[in-house]
Amino acid sequence: MQNKRKLFTSESVTEGHPDKVCDQIADAILDDILAHDPTARVACEVCASTGLVMVFGEITTAHYSDIGAIARKTIKSIGYTDPSMGFHYENCAVLNTLHEQSPDIAMGVDNALELRGSGSFDLGAGDQGMMFGYATKETDSFMPITANLSQALAMRLAKVRKDGILPYLRPDGKTQVTVEFDEDDTPLRVDTVLISAQHQPDVSQEIIKEDLLKHVIFPAVPPKLLDDATRFIVNPTGRFVTGGPQGDSGLTGRKIIVDTYGGYAPHGGGSFSGKDPTKVDRSASYMARYVAKNIVASGAAAKCQIQFAYAIGIAAPVSININTFGTGVISDRALEKIVMQEFDLRPSVIIERLNLRRPIYLSTAAYGHFGRSDVNFTWEKLDAAEAIKARL
């Protein structure tokens, strides 16, 4: 009989990864603006390189934000406090080239096409595009196990650095986990764990591997998933001293698979960080996760993938698609009808239902936007599961 087992891999990165540095600066700026002006329009992008941060994009607000101070505070909190790293919160240049949102975009967002000329107003979608949400019974967090484990390893890698357990570590790092599944997509074991951890130059490869096994891998990965055949790969190049924005340029929105489901489910075209909730790239992706998670929690399916699609300036989505991969207790089309009955998917209603006009976004900018227990992650609540169950 042919072996139908398969492998799947997800990765994560720490907050010191150059792309994540940029995501965090962008969301720190967004939070500062929303704290003073909840209706501001923000589309903030950041790039970083050796000794340089540039902030650009479109922002419309009455609030003045000290962009340089916010960027430096964020960089300091991440851990770039040693000039020898080639990127330092005090010494890097911060360039600000922000300007106002296009009036052509603002016109469509301020007044949805469906209501123009009626005397009523509603928010239109801030852009066209498709957004995906996903949930599975595979883990307690309703996340794919590979994404769960890779994020847990990245968070643990940052914790042992910040807590001084492994003081020779530096902020940059990447993790990767490969899991073996059976023919029914049940996770069986961890096949490979890979960690690349930035470190000070005077630490040997042997010490780093021994310490990461003891303090990072074994505490983060459940022992029942490990066996004698599991491979542990640590800093496979043999050295990772130069990292962060000195080792590689950084850019917002370049880690969208890390931000979402680890590649186990599709991702729409747009990233999240630096965008206010009128941008459906962010708010509708959160809503799609919320709906998918509540569908699975209701018992309607063992796993669920949802796609919403929007047109700029139009409030209601132009399409909804649900795929339960044959695990649903009713048809996918019947489930779509329940979603349309139970959930109002206009941007203004999503923003209100998930309470998105708050300065909560810096906490989302590293270690994933989904599967987290933070109380501000309102899209992780299961408060709609009973209503869905009642309609089955």
Side-chain angles (χ1 to χ4, degrees), residues 257-300:
I257 295 300
V258 169
D259 287 339
T260 54
Y261 306 102
Y264 208 84
H267 187 288
S271 62
F272 303 153
S273 290
K275 295 178 180 178
D276 76 83
T278 66
K279 278 70 173 176
V280 284
D281 283 336
R282 178 165 227 155
S283 54
S285 293
Y286 290 172
M287 190 64 176
R289 163 65 176 175
Y290 174 67
V291 175
K293 186 175 181 180
N294 277 273
I295 285 173
V296 174
S298 76

Side-chain angles (χ1 to χ4, degrees), residues 119-335:
S120 299
F121 295 87
D122 193 11
L123 289 177
D127 202 353
Q128 72 174 52
M130 70 286 187
M131 299 82 208
F132 287 91
Y134 182 79
T136 173
K137 291 179 66 177
E138 199 169 275
T139 63
D140 291 342
S141 64
F142 295 83
M143 288 288 286
I145 190 170
T146 51
N148 245 16
L149 292 175
S150 59
Q151 297 285 22
L153 285 166
M155 294 177 78
R156 181 68 188 172
L157 189 60
K159 180 175 174 59
V160 298
R161 171 179 63 87
K162 291 186 168 185
D163 289 353
I165 297 171
L166 301 180
Y168 59 79
L169 292 179
R170 288 178 169 179
D172 198 358
K174 302 180 77 171
T175 63
Q176 187 169 289
V177 178
T178 302
V179 172
E180 183 177 354
F181 298 81
D182 68 13
E183 59 272 17
D184 297 319
D185 287 337
T186 301
L188 301 175
R189 55 182 290 275
V190 170
D191 181 80
T192 306
V193 176
L194 167 61
I195 296 183
S196 295
Q198 187 188 17
H199 58 88
Q200 294 176 1
D202 56 350
V203 187
S204 71
Q205 173 74 359
E206 292 73 24
I207 289 175
I208 294 171
K209 183 169 184 178
E210 180 181 344
D211 282 348
L212 293 189
L213 282 167
K214 178 180 179 181
H215 296 289
V216 177
I217 296 173
F218 293 150
V221 181
K224 65 181 181 180
L225 293 175
L226 302 175
D227 57 30
D228 292 341
T230 301
R231 293 184 296 169
F232 302 103
I233 304 172
V234 174
N235 286 3
T237 67
R239 179 180 169 90
F240 186 7
V241 173
T242 302
Q246 182 188 28
D248 191 9
S249 59
L251 182 64
T252 43
R254 205 157 54 179
K255 282 290 174 282
I256 57 178
I257 295 300
V258 169
D259 287 339
T260 54
Y261 306 102
Y264 208 84
H267 187 288
S271 62
F272 303 153
S273 290
K275 295 178 180 178
D276 76 83
T278 66
K279 278 70 173 176
V280 284
D281 283 336
R282 178 165 227 155
S283 54
S285 293
Y286 290 172
M287 190 64 176
R289 163 65 176 175
Y290 174 67
V291 175
K293 186 175 181 180
N294 277 273
I295 285 173
V296 174
S298 76
K303 52 185 173 181
C304 179
Q305 175 184 295
I306 296 180
Q307 184 202 59
F308 300 146
Y310 288 84
I312 188 168
I314 299 176
V318 298
S319 72
I320 300 171
N321 177 272
I322 291 179
N323 185 355
T324 60
F325 306 93
T327 69
V329 299
I330 61 175
S331 72
D332 292 347
R333 302 295 82 79
L335 201 50

